[in-house]
Amino acid sequence: MKKSLLFLLGAGLLAGGGYYVYETDQEIHDKVDSFFSEKTESDTIYLTDDSARKIKSYGEKRIDDPQKSPSKSTGPFAALDKYARETPVSKESSFATLANYLVIPAQTEEEKARLIFTWVATHIRYDDESYNSGNYADMSAQNVLKRHKGVCEGYANVFKTLCDSAGLKAVKISGYAKGYGYKPGDKFTKTDHAWNAVSINGKWCLMDATWASISSQSINGKLVSKLKFDDFWFKTEPQAFIFTHLPENVAWQLIPKKVIKLSEHENMPYLTDTHFR
């Protein structure tokens, strides 16, 4: 992972508006080593159920990236993705029914999480109307399942509820995202996105079903989204995730011995999923 970060930082440093400029590869290497290994005052962070319950969720942004990967799944999860995509509507009568159906082919917790992730990302449409108007519909898991439409909070609620029903431990995370409409150098005044973390074999893994679901563009000043599955946001490495997602609760950064402040995150190079592929 570190080698990939070194290469990608070298290729994408100027994407952050010139906040970090280095003359040699060694300077980049030293900066990355320092960035991810430097201890902070809060060296040890404990995740608790209580802290997870206190997390709130707001609206969100989405990266407009014409180079997103193709919607068709490939790789080791291709068969599971196909199964989740082809889930019969009759299995959506309740979260318990849907979760029980989705996990039938799963042999591991990772596969359970993948099936749920893929179903959410390929069956929930982004609610452009709510985002553009600022008048958000009910984003409860039950209502989003019924409407098959929601913004980030709705995606995260559905994902967590399905994980709960499938016996997986999951949380919804609120935070700041460098997504749709973001420009390098922008400052955040409030949280604007929600995503999830899931415990797989005792390790917390980051997921963003919303960003896995759509690509978007601005037309006449309005967000217009379309379904386009992107599994980069399944179990994304925290060291890559942090360049676009900063959780309100610092515990969910999941970067050992490092806490990144909002001011630092705002000045980090703007590296999207395209850089890390």
Side-chain angles (χ1 to χ4, degrees):
M1 181 64 192
K2 184 178 291 185
K3 290 182 179 178
S4 297
L5 281 169
L6 294 177
F7 172 79
L8 294 168
L9 278 170
L13 287 170
L14 294 181
Y19 298 116
Y20 296 101
V21 179
Y22 305 105
E23 297 297 328
T24 67
D25 288 343
Q26 186 59 47
E27 287 182 285
I28 298 173
H29 186 285
D30 292 343
K31 176 63 180 179
V32 175
D33 275 350
S34 173
F35 187 79
F36 286 113
S37 64
E38 179 184 357
K39 292 185 178 181
T40 66
E41 294 180 0
S42 302
D43 282 346
T44 303
I45 301 172
Y46 296 96
L47 301 179
T48 65
D49 291 339
D50 182 63
S51 67
R53 282 193 293 270
K54 292 179 181 178
I55 295 173
K56 299 178 181 179
S57 179
Y58 299 84
E60 63 95 42
K61 301 178 180 180
R62 174 68 186 104
I63 289 176
D64 180 6
D65 185 357
Q67 302 301 321
K68 282 174 61 63
S69 60
S71 294
K72 186 176 180 179
S73 300
T74 58
F77 295 113
L80 295 178
D81 289 345
K82 184 175 185 295
Y83 177 88
R85 285 172 179 272
E86 297 176 354
T87 300
V89 176
S90 61
K91 303 300 181 181
E92 299 175 7
S93 58
S94 70
F95 279 103
T97 299
L98 179 56
N100 288 337
Y101 174 80
L102 286 173
V103 301
I104 288 175
Q107 300 296 316
T108 64
E109 289 185 339
E110 181 183 41
E111 291 182 349
K112 285 184 179 182
R114 177 67 179 216
L115 286 156
I116 292 170
F117 176 88
T118 300
W119 186 90
V120 174
T122 59
H123 286 77
I124 305 300
R125 287 198 62 90
Y126 194 78
D127 191 345
D128 295 0
E129 182 179 354
S130 285
Y131 180 88
N132 289 322
S133 68
N135 297 317
Y136 294 96
D138 176 10
M139 291 298 154
S140 66
Q142 291 74 17
N143 194 53
V144 173
L145 177 64
K146 179 180 178 181
R147 297 175 65 232
H148 277 227
K149 184 181 292 188
V151 295
C152 61
E153 182 180 2
Y155 280 81
N157 286 335
V158 169
F159 184 85
K160 182 185 184 308
T161 303
L162 282 171
C163 285
D164 292 344
S165 297
L168 293 173
K169 189 175 182 180
V171 298
K172 180 176 73 175
I173 301 171
S174 170
Y176 310 88
K178 296 179 179 180
Y180 174 80
Y182 172 80
K183 299 182 296 297
D186 282 355
K187 304 299 181 182
F188 292 97
T189 58
K190 65 178 181 180
T191 57
D192 62 358
H193 191 43
W195 58 93
N196 297 96
V198 184
S199 180
I200 297 177
N201 300 325
K203 178 183 178 181
W204 286 105
C205 301
L206 297 169
M207 317 267 181
D208 190 336
T210 310
W211 284 22
S213 175
I214 61 171
S215 65
S216 59
Q217 58 182 318
S218 179
I219 298 180
N220 296 324
K222 300 291 186 180
L223 177 147
V224 177
S225 65
K226 64 178 180 179
L227 287 171
K228 194 166 187 180
F229 182 61
D230 181 359
D231 70 351
F232 175 83
W233 301 106
F234 175 77
K235 291 184 61 181
T236 312
E237 289 287 345
Q239 291 92 337
F241 205 77
I242 198 65
F243 280 91
T244 49
H245 295 66
L246 183 75
E248 185 176 31
N249 182 332
V250 298
W252 295 109
Q253 293 182 16
L254 302 183
I255 298 174
K257 300 180 180 180
K258 178 71 178 179
V259 174
I260 297 173
K261 298 178 181 179
L262 177 59
S263 58
E264 185 176 11
H265 184 258
E266 290 172 337
N267 290 327
M268 287 169 62
Y270 180 37
L271 303 180
T272 69
D273 53 321
T274 301
H275 295 89
F276 291 101
R277 293 182 194 283

